[in-house]
Amino acid sequence: KRRVHGGGTLRDTERMEVSRRRSMSSLISEKAHEVHQEQTDLRSTFETKLLKNMHLASSNDLSNSRDTSPSSTDTSEASKRGDKAGFCIEKRNHGDLLRPCREVNNGAIEYPQYSSTLTRLHWQESPSNVLIVKKPNAPDVTEAFEEMYKWLRQTKNLNVYVEPSVHQEFAGTCNSLRTWKDEDELGEVQLLIDFVVSLGGDGTLLWVSSLFKQALPPTIPFAGGSLGFMTQFSTEQYREALTSVIEGGFSITLRSRLSCDLYRPNSVPQSLGLALNEVVIDRGPSSYLTNLDCYADDIFITTVQADGLIIGTPTGSTAYSLSAGGSIVHPSVPAILFTPVCPHSLSFRPLLFPDSVRLRIQVSDDARHSAWVSLDGRDKQELKHGEYILVHMSPWPLPAVNKEGELTDWFNGVIQGLSWNTRVRQKRL
């Protein structure tokens, strides 16, 4: 089939250019496939290990898991050893257990019901280890941290982990705090953490995401910043909020994260980490526009000529992407945002890709300058000619604890934090 461009068939020169780019992409697609296979094998190994501690409750065994799961006051063998507590996830839809999203009935594929769900997490053993990540240089947050630590340690008898800098700050007052020494020890500690307390603003939650390169435990965000779009909990009611988490049965929103790998000629692919908000490719200090060739699953899409390009998550749709004219997307929508920054074209509108797409972004051969890539605004890396990044949805989301529910919490943030659709009411005739 002949591709259509601008309302007509491709001209000979355009066909030659597309053919050239496709031939270039085929040279590197083999290496990308090998890396993808390695990531798939790693993901499969991780999921096998994870399923030993996690059980996805279905409509048949959910009631049994409730009856057999211990209460928050019980002390299991796992708690005595300080191991990570197991849990099960329950999905409900308007009060009823969720049926399969798709089913085949007499040869017809149909949706038996909408897939909007309320996801709840139930502990199979009582949690025993908690990580508190606090905002630095904030006296009110420090005061709340000290009170919260004492309550968790003395009343709930939990092991409290903190970052090394926080451990050093409270070495004289909080003697039973635990921490880690280096990256290797951090990886071991992360396998023990049952849930995370984010004590700060949205930036603190982004920092929590950056600490966990793979699976991330349930995270309860307390407001201690300025905007607090994703931090619905108040530190004044921390006892009630943390008690509901420790007892289990709380609502969570699975906030997807993006994985980004950097490919350079004649070198091993470099993982740049995971992004909770967005991956940004921009022109950096250069005065020239970025010139980026974009591929989706090795299919050439377009060349971006703009100040930059935002590849975002639904969570990041209310961040940089929103300022660049992107859509506001609920965090449960399985999508990847594709938003240009100040494009040199009136017809370049933002897109939403399905979350299964793997996006490859590389500097065009005729680009006047290199580009720069960053994840959630951190650790900028230069992207030179002949180099590219591969962005895809990570299998490890951030499970954020909800205060009222994933829809209510999100709309509260959109309305209160962004003043969405706020205007003076029109008078009746």
Side-chain angles (χ1 to χ4, degrees), residues 11 49 63 77 108 114 128 148 180 305 340 356 374-375 405 417:
R11 296 188 298 269
K49 294 181 179 179
S63 58
E77 292 298 325
Y114 292 110
S128 56
M148 191 179 298
W180 56 89
Q305 296 183 86
S356 59
S374 62
L375 277 66

Side-chain angles (χ1 to χ4, degrees), residues 50-51 53-69 86-93 96-100 113 117-124 249-250 252 254:
L50 181 62
L51 286 175
N53 291 329
M54 185 179 72
H55 172 66
L56 297 178
S58 64
S59 57
N60 296 327
D61 60 12
L62 178 59
S63 58
N64 295 333
S65 66
R66 282 179 176 169
D67 297 337
T68 58
S69 59
F87 56 86
C88 65
I89 293 179
E90 164 197 355
K91 288 190 175 182
R92 287 183 173 270
N93 185 63
D96 298 325
L97 287 175
L98 180 69
R99 291 178 290 171
Q113 65 181 31
T117 62
L118 177 64
T119 305
R120 293 188 178 275
L121 187 144
H122 297 268
W123 300 110
Q124 292 180 332
F250 51 88
I252 59 174
L254 300 178

Side-chain angles (χ1 to χ4, degrees), residues 260 262 264 270-273 278-288 290 307-310 320 341 369-384 387 389:
C260 182
L262 174 61
R264 291 190 170 104
Q270 175 187 354
S271 174
L272 299 183
E278 70 273 311
V279 176
V280 176
I281 309 97
D282 58 36
R283 58 191 177 93
S286 173
S287 59
Y288 296 110
T290 58
D307 281 350
L309 175 66
I310 302 170
Y320 192 5
V341 181
H369 202 271
S370 60
W372 294 78
V373 58
S374 62
L375 277 66
D376 290 339
R378 304 185 317 272
D379 304 329
K380 273 201 169 187
Q381 297 264 2
E382 188 174 8
L383 195 63
K384 301 178 181 179
E387 301 176 350
I389 60 171

Side-chain angles (χ1 to χ4, degrees), residues 249-271:
F250 51 88
S251 170
I252 59 174
T253 296
L254 300 178
R255 295 183 175 271
S256 57
R257 298 192 290 173
L258 291 172
S259 176
C260 182
D261 299 315
L262 174 61
Y263 290 78
R264 291 190 170 104
N266 303 321
S267 64
V268 179
Q270 175 187 354
S271 174

